[in-house]
Amino acid sequence: MPFIDLREFLTFLEQEKDLVRIEREVDPIHEIAAYIRKTSDRQGPALLFEHVKGSQMPVIGGLFAAQRRLLKVLGVADQRSAVEKLVESMADPIPSITVPNGACTEVCHTGSDVDLTRLPVMTSSEKDVAPFITMGLAISKDPDSGRRNLGLYRLQLKSKNRLGIMAQHLAIHLARAETKGRGLPIAIALGVSPELLIASQWKAPYRVDELGLAGRVLGRPVELVKAATVDLEVPAHAEIIIEGIVLPNERESEGPFGEFSGYYQPPSSKPVIEVTAITHRKNPLYLAGLTGMPTTENHVLKQIPLEATFLNALRRQFCGVHSVHFPFCGGAGYLLIVSMKKTREFEPRNLIATALGMAGPKYVIVVDEDIDIYDLEKVLWAVCTRSQPARDALILSQINGAPLDPSARAPHCTEAMGIDATLPKDGSFPEMVTIPGLENVPDF
Ligand SMILES: Cc1cc2nc3c(=O)[nH]c(=O)nc-3n(C[C@H](O)[C@H](O)[C@H](O)COP(=O)(O)O)c2cc1C
Ligand SMILES: [Mn+2]
C-alpha cells in the first residue's frame, strides 16, 4: 500500500491499532530507546511519544519493530513475496521528479539560527558517546558524474551545527570531492515515507540512484524540491531536512555507539558535517530508530532489501537459486542462507565464493531446495547431516567483508566461511525417513 509520507503511514497504523500514543513525558536519553527495545522484543506496536523532555517535537519510534508493518507497506503477505517484489521492482525503477514546493521547507533555519539540539535526538545505549540520528536519509551526489545516492548512515550529534557521519557510497563521493579540494554537499531527510526508507536499504551498485526503487514501490515518482542552501534535491514530503557540507580532509573521533552486532563499536576517526540549514514542516515529527542487539528496527528494515539485493545478484549467476535469507541472529548481515537446485556438483562452492565476494556475509550456508531457509532448525539439520567440514567448507582469510564485526582483528578485514550442505547430485545418499499417510490424519 503506497504511503506518500510518514503521516499517512501513521494514520494507517493507528486505524490498524498498530500504533500506540505515549502521553507521559519521556526522556530522549535512554528512556525512548527503552520503550522501543520493549516493543521490539515483543513485536509490538509503533510508538508515538507525544511529550519529549526538552523538545517541542513528538517522536515516532519502533516503526519497523515488527516486520508486519514493513509487509503492509509492500502490500504482501509474507517475507518471500516481499523479497520477490523488491527484486522485480529493482529492474523497473521510476525516476524521481522535481516539484516547485514541498511541505519540508515550510520553516527554514539558516546560519546562526541552526540548532540541532532543538531536535529530540535520542541517546540509545548506555555507553553511546552522544545522541545519534539513525533514521536520517542521507542524499549526496558524485562530484564527477552528478549521480545521486541514498543511504541511512548514523549521525553523531556533536554541537548545534556539527554531526559525525559513518558512510558507505557517500564516502566515495566525499573522497572524490576531497581530491578536488572541496567539501561534499549533503542533505539528510528525516521522517520520510516508508518506501524511501526501504529503498535506502537496497545495496544498489555504485552510481545507481535508489530513489528509482522508491518510486517503483510507491507506484509513482518520488517528489523532490530544491534544498535551501546546497545544490541538492530533497524529498518534498519529509518532516525535517538537515543540509550541510561534509568538510574536506577533516576527521574527528566518532563513537562509541551500540551497533547492530549487539556490541559497542569503539571510537574511530570519521568525517564531519557542518550544518548550513534545518528546514521542516510547521509541526514536524521526529523519527527515531533503535539499533543494538538483534532484533531491532534496524535489522527488520534492512533484512528484506538486503535479501532482494543478494537474490537478484546470485540468480544472475546461478539460475537454480531458489531463495536467500539473512537471519536476525546474524545481525541480518553476517549469515546468509541460500537454497538452490544445483545444476552441477560443485556449483554451490562457486556460489559461496561469489556471495563472499560481495563483501557482506561472513558465513554462507547453501542447502537444497527442499529445505525451508526461514526454518533455522531445518537449515542446521541439513548442515549436520549433509556436509563434512573438511570436504564441504570453503574458508577465505583476510578479505574486506562483514562490516563492524566485533571479532575482526583489524577494521574492514575479516575471514569468511561457506558450507555446502547440498546432497550429491547422483543420488548416492541415504533416503530421508517418511511416514506414509501423514496427510490423512484428521485434526485432533
Ligand atoms: C537504522 C539503520 C541505520 C544504519 N546505519 C548505518 C551507518 O551508520 N553506516 C552505514 O554505513 N550503514 C548504515 N546502515 C546501512 C545502510 O543504510 C545500507 O547498507 C545502505 O544500503 C547503504 O547505502 P549505500 O550502499 O548507498 O551506501 C544503516 C541501516 C539502518 C536500517
Ligand atoms: Mn548506493
Side-chain angles (χ1 to χ4, degrees), residues 134-135 149-155 166-170 199-204 210 259 289-291 297-299 301-302:
T134 53
M135 287 287 204
N149 188 72
L150 298 189
L152 293 186
Y153 309 123
R154 74 184 199 209
L155 300 155
M166 186 180 76
Q168 295 174 47
H169 278 163
L170 183 144
S200 80
Q201 296 309 297
W202 173 24
K203 286 190 113 22
E210 290 91 349
E259 262 300 347
L290 182 68
T291 291
E297 50 201 321
N298 177 313
H299 307 92
L301 176 56
K302 76 184 174 192

Side-chain angles (χ1 to χ4, degrees), residues 306-327:
L306 191 63
E307 291 176 355
T309 303
F310 273 75
L311 184 61
N312 192 35
L314 293 174
R315 260 197 197 145
R316 278 167 199 257
Q317 303 273 343
F318 307 97
C319 62
V321 171
H322 180 255
S323 42
V324 307
H325 182 38
F326 280 96

